[in-house]
Every structure is written in structure tokens, then in C-alpha cells.
PDB file of all heavy atoms in Angstrom:
ATOM      1  N   GLY A   1      -8.540  22.795  16.491  1.00  0.00           N
ATOM      2  CA  GLY A   1      -8.687  22.100  17.771  1.00  0.00           C
ATOM      3  C   GLY A   1      -8.158  23.025  18.919  1.00  0.00           C
ATOM      4  O   GLY A   1      -7.994  24.251  18.695  1.00  0.00           O
ATOM      5  N   SER A   2      -8.176  22.477  20.027  1.00  0.00           N
ATOM      6  CA  SER A   2      -7.940  23.208  21.366  1.00  0.00           C
ATOM      7  C   SER A   2      -6.798  22.536  22.144  1.00  0.00           C
ATOM      8  O   SER A   2      -6.607  21.320  22.015  1.00  0.00           O
ATOM      9  CB  SER A   2      -9.151  23.307  22.211  1.00  0.00           C
ATOM     10  OG  SER A   2     -10.209  24.035  21.530  1.00  0.00           O
ATOM     11  N   LEU A   3      -6.100  23.295  22.888  1.00  0.00           N
ATOM     12  CA  LEU A   3      -5.145  22.877  23.923  1.00  0.00           C
ATOM     13  C   LEU A   3      -5.239  23.802  25.058  1.00  0.00           C
ATOM     14  O   LEU A   3      -5.470  25.051  24.933  1.00  0.00           O
ATOM     15  CB  LEU A   3      -3.756  22.853  23.328  1.00  0.00           C
ATOM     16  CG  LEU A   3      -3.270  21.657  22.467  1.00  0.00           C
ATOM     17  CD1 LEU A   3      -1.883  22.011  21.937  1.00  0.00           C
ATOM     18  CD2 LEU A   3      -3.335  20.331  23.114  1.00  0.00           C
ATOM     19  N   ARG A   4      -4.842  23.268  26.211  1.00  0.00           N
ATOM     20  CA  ARG A   4      -4.792  24.039  27.447  1.00  0.00           C
ATOM     21  C   ARG A   4      -3.366  23.862  28.039  1.00  0.00           C
ATOM     22  O   ARG A   4      -2.972  22.800  28.391  1.00  0.00           O
ATOM     23  CB  ARG A   4      -5.864  23.704  28.448  1.00  0.00           C
ATOM     24  CG  ARG A   4      -5.906  24.658  29.594  1.00  0.00           C
ATOM     25  CD  ARG A   4      -6.869  24.096  30.702  1.00  0.00           C
ATOM     26  NE  ARG A   4      -7.241  25.051  31.706  1.00  0.00           N
ATOM     27  CZ  ARG A   4      -7.479  24.777  32.990  1.00  0.00           C
ATOM     28  NH1 ARG A   4      -7.348  23.579  33.455  1.00  0.00           N
ATOM     29  NH2 ARG A   4      -7.874  25.763  33.748  1.00  0.00           N
ATOM     30  N   LEU A   5      -2.734  24.951  28.097  1.00  0.00           N
ATOM     31  CA  LEU A   5      -1.373  25.018  28.685  1.00  0.00           C
ATOM     32  C   LEU A   5      -1.501  25.371  30.181  1.00  0.00           C
ATOM     33  O   LEU A   5      -2.282  26.222  30.574  1.00  0.00           O
ATOM     34  CB  LEU A   5      -0.405  26.021  27.993  1.00  0.00           C
ATOM     35  CG  LEU A   5      -0.215  25.822  26.563  1.00  0.00           C
ATOM     36  CD1 LEU A   5       0.849  26.804  26.030  1.00  0.00           C
ATOM     37  CD2 LEU A   5       0.256  24.377  26.212  1.00  0.00           C
ATOM     38  N   SER A   6      -0.609  24.860  31.024  1.00  0.00           N
ATOM     39  CA  SER A   6      -0.621  25.178  32.457  1.00  0.00           C
ATOM     40  C   SER A   6       0.957  25.499  32.784  1.00  0.00           C
ATOM     41  O   SER A   6       1.819  25.015  32.261  1.00  0.00           O
ATOM     42  CB  SER A   6      -1.107  24.088  33.357  1.00  0.00           C
ATOM     43  OG  SER A   6      -2.413  23.685  33.010  1.00  0.00           O
ATOM     44  N   CYS A   7       1.026  26.319  33.808  1.00  0.00           N
ATOM     45  CA  CYS A   7       2.393  26.704  34.215  1.00  0.00           C
ATOM     46  C   CYS A   7       2.254  26.946  35.734  1.00  0.00           C
ATOM     47  O   CYS A   7       1.524  27.822  36.178  1.00  0.00           O
ATOM     48  CB  CYS A   7       2.933  27.920  33.558  1.00  0.00           C
ATOM     49  SG  CYS A   7       4.392  28.583  34.203  1.00  0.00           S
ATOM     50  N   VAL A   8       3.050  26.180  36.575  1.00  0.00           N
ATOM     51  CA  VAL A   8       2.963  26.274  37.961  1.00  0.00           C
ATOM     52  C   VAL A   8       4.330  26.842  38.469  1.00  0.00           C
ATOM     53  O   VAL A   8       5.431  26.302  37.942  1.00  0.00           O
ATOM     54  CB  VAL A   8       2.626  24.938  38.638  1.00  0.00           C
ATOM     55  CG1 VAL A   8       3.581  23.892  38.323  1.00  0.00           C
ATOM     56  CG2 VAL A   8       2.535  25.148  40.158  1.00  0.00           C
ATOM     57  N   ALA A   9       4.345  27.700  39.365  1.00  0.00           N
ATOM     58  CA  ALA A   9       5.575  28.185  40.041  1.00  0.00           C
ATOM     59  C   ALA A   9       5.785  27.405  41.332  1.00  0.00           C
ATOM     60  O   ALA A   9       4.857  27.218  42.085  1.00  0.00           O
ATOM     61  CB  ALA A   9       5.420  29.672  40.309  1.00  0.00           C
ATOM     62  N   SER A  10       7.095  27.021  41.520  1.00  0.00           N
ATOM     63  CA  SER A  10       7.437  26.362  42.707  1.00  0.00           C
ATOM     64  C   SER A  10       8.687  26.885  43.284  1.00  0.00           C
ATOM     65  O   SER A  10       9.533  27.604  42.682  1.00  0.00           O
ATOM     66  CB  SER A  10       7.626  24.813  42.431  1.00  0.00           C
ATOM     67  OG  SER A  10       8.679  24.681  41.431  1.00  0.00           O
ATOM     68  N   GLY A  11       8.872  26.592  44.568  1.00  0.00           N
ATOM     69  CA  GLY A  11      10.067  27.125  45.287  1.00  0.00           C
ATOM     70  C   GLY A  11       9.700  28.060  46.475  1.00  0.00           C
ATOM     71  O   GLY A  11       8.494  28.158  46.749  1.00  0.00           O
ATOM     72  N   SER A  12      10.636  28.834  46.850  1.00  0.00           N
ATOM     73  CA  SER A  12      10.412  29.790  47.932  1.00  0.00           C
ATOM     74  C   SER A  12      10.320  31.178  47.424  1.00  0.00           C
ATOM     75  O   SER A  12      11.332  31.662  46.802  1.00  0.00           O
ATOM     76  CB  SER A  12      11.523  29.656  48.953  1.00  0.00           C
ATOM     77  OG  SER A  12      11.196  30.564  50.014  1.00  0.00           O
ATOM     78  N   PHE A  13       9.170  31.918  47.605  1.00  0.00           N
ATOM     79  CA  PHE A  13       9.009  33.285  47.071  1.00  0.00           C
ATOM     80  C   PHE A  13       7.944  33.905  47.982  1.00  0.00           C
ATOM     81  O   PHE A  13       7.171  33.266  48.625  1.00  0.00           O
ATOM     82  CB  PHE A  13       8.736  33.287  45.589  1.00  0.00           C
ATOM     83  CG  PHE A  13       7.626  32.387  45.270  1.00  0.00           C
ATOM     84  CD1 PHE A  13       6.299  32.835  45.206  1.00  0.00           C
ATOM     85  CD2 PHE A  13       7.815  31.159  44.717  1.00  0.00           C
ATOM     86  CE1 PHE A  13       5.224  32.094  44.797  1.00  0.00           C
ATOM     87  CE2 PHE A  13       6.824  30.320  44.346  1.00  0.00           C
ATOM     88  CZ  PHE A  13       5.518  30.725  44.403  1.00  0.00           C
ATOM     89  N   PHE A  14       7.855  35.311  47.865  1.00  0.00           N
ATOM     90  CA  PHE A  14       6.851  35.972  48.560  1.00  0.00           C
ATOM     91  C   PHE A  14       5.689  36.342  47.733  1.00  0.00           C
ATOM     92  O   PHE A  14       4.538  36.123  48.178  1.00  0.00           O
ATOM     93  CB  PHE A  14       7.532  37.274  49.050  1.00  0.00           C
ATOM     94  CG  PHE A  14       6.565  38.174  49.748  1.00  0.00           C
ATOM     95  CD1 PHE A  14       5.941  37.800  50.923  1.00  0.00           C
ATOM     96  CD2 PHE A  14       6.165  39.376  49.126  1.00  0.00           C
ATOM     97  CE1 PHE A  14       5.002  38.670  51.592  1.00  0.00           C
ATOM     98  CE2 PHE A  14       5.257  40.267  49.799  1.00  0.00           C
ATOM     99  CZ  PHE A  14       4.713  39.872  50.964  1.00  0.00           C
ATOM    100  N   ARG A  15       5.906  36.733  46.455  1.00  0.00           N
ATOM    101  CA  ARG A  15       4.744  37.260  45.736  1.00  0.00           C
ATOM    102  C   ARG A  15       4.988  37.038  44.230  1.00  0.00           C
ATOM    103  O   ARG A  15       6.049  37.330  43.681  1.00  0.00           O
ATOM    104  CB  ARG A  15       4.502  38.722  46.052  1.00  0.00           C
ATOM    105  CG  ARG A  15       3.324  39.308  45.296  1.00  0.00           C
ATOM    106  CD  ARG A  15       3.293  40.850  45.664  1.00  0.00           C
ATOM    107  NE  ARG A  15       2.152  41.524  44.976  1.00  0.00           N
ATOM    108  CZ  ARG A  15       0.963  41.716  45.542  1.00  0.00           C
ATOM    109  NH1 ARG A  15       0.809  41.324  46.791  1.00  0.00           N
ATOM    110  NH2 ARG A  15       0.056  42.421  44.852  1.00  0.00           N
ATOM    111  N   ILE A  16       3.951  36.581  43.528  1.00  0.00           N
ATOM    112  CA  ILE A  16       4.016  36.536  42.024  1.00  0.00           C
ATOM    113  C   ILE A  16       3.113  37.678  41.486  1.00  0.00           C
ATOM    114  O   ILE A  16       1.992  37.819  41.915  1.00  0.00           O
ATOM    115  CB  ILE A  16       3.364  35.208  41.549  1.00  0.00           C
ATOM    116  CG1 ILE A  16       4.096  33.997  42.129  1.00  0.00           C
ATOM    117  CG2 ILE A  16       3.407  35.117  39.942  1.00  0.00           C
ATOM    118  CD1 ILE A  16       3.591  32.657  41.749  1.00  0.00           C
ATOM    119  N   ASN A  17       3.812  38.381  40.618  1.00  0.00           N
ATOM    120  CA  ASN A  17       3.107  39.612  40.109  1.00  0.00           C
ATOM    121  C   ASN A  17       2.515  39.156  38.688  1.00  0.00           C
ATOM    122  O   ASN A  17       1.714  38.215  38.671  1.00  0.00           O
ATOM    123  CB  ASN A  17       3.935  40.782  40.065  1.00  0.00           C
ATOM    124  CG  ASN A  17       4.302  41.312  41.465  1.00  0.00           C
ATOM    125  OD1 ASN A  17       3.446  41.499  42.277  1.00  0.00           O
ATOM    126  ND2 ASN A  17       5.600  41.236  41.742  1.00  0.00           N
ATOM    127  N   THR A  18       2.901  39.842  37.700  1.00  0.00           N
ATOM    128  CA  THR A  18       2.353  39.495  36.343  1.00  0.00           C
ATOM    129  C   THR A  18       2.830  38.121  35.880  1.00  0.00           C
ATOM    130  O   THR A  18       4.093  37.793  36.104  1.00  0.00           O
ATOM    131  CB  THR A  18       2.700  40.579  35.315  1.00  0.00           C
ATOM    132  OG1 THR A  18       2.137  41.795  35.764  1.00  0.00           O
ATOM    133  CG2 THR A  18       2.307  40.197  33.915  1.00  0.00           C
ATOM    134  N   MET A  19       2.032  37.394  35.325  1.00  0.00           N
ATOM    135  CA  MET A  19       2.376  36.168  34.664  1.00  0.00           C
ATOM    136  C   MET A  19       1.866  36.146  33.239  1.00  0.00           C
ATOM    137  O   MET A  19       0.955  36.905  32.831  1.00  0.00           O
ATOM    138  CB  MET A  19       1.618  34.887  35.332  1.00  0.00           C
ATOM    139  CG  MET A  19       1.924  34.830  36.865  1.00  0.00           C
ATOM    140  SD  MET A  19       1.135  33.396  37.598  1.00  0.00           S
ATOM    141  CE  MET A  19       2.414  32.081  37.182  1.00  0.00           C
ATOM    142  N   GLY A  20       2.618  35.377  32.371  1.00  0.00           N
ATOM    143  CA  GLY A  20       2.395  35.482  30.932  1.00  0.00           C
ATOM    144  C   GLY A  20       2.816  34.276  30.184  1.00  0.00           C
ATOM    145  O   GLY A  20       3.536  33.452  30.688  1.00  0.00           O
ATOM    146  N   TRP A  21       2.457  34.275  28.860  1.00  0.00           N
ATOM    147  CA  TRP A  21       2.882  33.295  27.965  1.00  0.00           C
ATOM    148  C   TRP A  21       3.589  34.036  26.696  1.00  0.00           C
ATOM    149  O   TRP A  21       2.935  34.915  26.225  1.00  0.00           O
ATOM    150  CB  TRP A  21       1.765  32.332  27.485  1.00  0.00           C
ATOM    151  CG  TRP A  21       1.198  31.492  28.522  1.00  0.00           C
ATOM    152  CD1 TRP A  21       0.102  31.813  29.394  1.00  0.00           C
ATOM    153  CD2 TRP A  21       1.622  30.221  28.905  1.00  0.00           C
ATOM    154  NE1 TRP A  21      -0.141  30.736  30.282  1.00  0.00           N
ATOM    155  CE2 TRP A  21       0.801  29.782  29.966  1.00  0.00           C
ATOM    156  CE3 TRP A  21       2.673  29.394  28.423  1.00  0.00           C
ATOM    157  CZ2 TRP A  21       1.005  28.520  30.538  1.00  0.00           C
ATOM    158  CZ3 TRP A  21       2.792  28.208  28.978  1.00  0.00           C
ATOM    159  CH2 TRP A  21       2.069  27.760  30.114  1.00  0.00           C
ATOM    160  N   PHE A  22       4.662  33.479  26.373  1.00  0.00           N
ATOM    161  CA  PHE A  22       5.337  33.967  25.104  1.00  0.00           C
ATOM    162  C   PHE A  22       5.480  32.729  24.180  1.00  0.00           C
ATOM    163  O   PHE A  22       5.334  31.641  24.696  1.00  0.00           O
ATOM    164  CB  PHE A  22       6.771  34.457  25.448  1.00  0.00           C
ATOM    165  CG  PHE A  22       6.719  35.816  26.190  1.00  0.00           C
ATOM    166  CD1 PHE A  22       6.231  35.965  27.400  1.00  0.00           C
ATOM    167  CD2 PHE A  22       7.166  36.900  25.483  1.00  0.00           C
ATOM    168  CE1 PHE A  22       6.328  37.140  28.104  1.00  0.00           C
ATOM    169  CE2 PHE A  22       7.200  38.268  26.151  1.00  0.00           C
ATOM    170  CZ  PHE A  22       6.652  38.356  27.441  1.00  0.00           C
ATOM    171  N   ARG A  23       5.753  33.017  22.987  1.00  0.00           N
ATOM    172  CA  ARG A  23       6.063  31.911  21.999  1.00  0.00           C
ATOM    173  C   ARG A  23       7.161  32.231  21.141  1.00  0.00           C
ATOM    174  O   ARG A  23       7.416  33.433  20.821  1.00  0.00           O
ATOM    175  CB  ARG A  23       4.890  31.428  21.284  1.00  0.00           C
ATOM    176  CG  ARG A  23       4.238  32.463  20.298  1.00  0.00           C
ATOM    177  CD  ARG A  23       2.977  32.044  19.728  1.00  0.00           C
ATOM    178  NE  ARG A  23       2.350  32.958  18.771  1.00  0.00           N
ATOM    179  CZ  ARG A  23       1.185  32.922  18.211  1.00  0.00           C
ATOM    180  NH1 ARG A  23       0.373  31.886  18.548  1.00  0.00           N
ATOM    181  NH2 ARG A  23       0.791  33.783  17.354  1.00  0.00           N
ATOM    182  N   GLN A  24       7.873  31.265  20.614  1.00  0.00           N
ATOM    183  CA  GLN A  24       8.887  31.443  19.739  1.00  0.00           C
ATOM    184  C   GLN A  24       9.052  30.312  18.734  1.00  0.00           C
ATOM    185  O   GLN A  24       8.888  29.103  19.021  1.00  0.00           O
ATOM    186  CB  GLN A  24      10.324  31.502  20.445  1.00  0.00           C
ATOM    187  CG  GLN A  24      11.468  31.836  19.677  1.00  0.00           C
ATOM    188  CD  GLN A  24      12.648  32.193  20.544  1.00  0.00           C
ATOM    189  OE1 GLN A  24      12.789  31.715  21.736  1.00  0.00           O
ATOM    190  NE2 GLN A  24      13.622  33.081  20.152  1.00  0.00           N
ATOM    191  N   VAL A  25       9.277  30.731  17.413  1.00  0.00           N
ATOM    192  CA  VAL A  25       9.612  29.726  16.392  1.00  0.00           C
ATOM    193  C   VAL A  25      10.980  29.983  15.928  1.00  0.00           C
ATOM    194  O   VAL A  25      11.528  31.083  16.088  1.00  0.00           O
ATOM    195  CB  VAL A  25       8.620  29.922  15.207  1.00  0.00           C
ATOM    196  CG1 VAL A  25       7.156  29.635  15.613  1.00  0.00           C
ATOM    197  CG2 VAL A  25       8.724  31.335  14.522  1.00  0.00           C
TER     198      VAL A  25
END
């Protein structure tokens, strides 16, 4: 099957550079 993850940044900031996903078991 499939899933779609989303991640939104909130708050006060100037610039978002690299974004990524990690996982842990």
C-alpha cells in the first residue's frame, strides 16, 4: 500500500534550507 506524510514548519524564521525525513525503530 501507500501513505503520504506531510510536515509543516511553523513559527518565526527567515529561511528553511534542507528538509528531510528520518525513521527509527
Side-chain angles (χ1 to χ4, degrees):
S2 298
L3 282 175
R4 189 191 194 210
L5 305 183
S6 299
C7 171
V8 59
S10 63
S12 179
F13 51 85
F14 175 67
R15 182 184 179 94
I16 303 175
N17 297 303
T18 299
M19 303 184 82
W21 291 94
F22 287 70
R23 66 186 180 187
Q24 189 170 24
V25 298

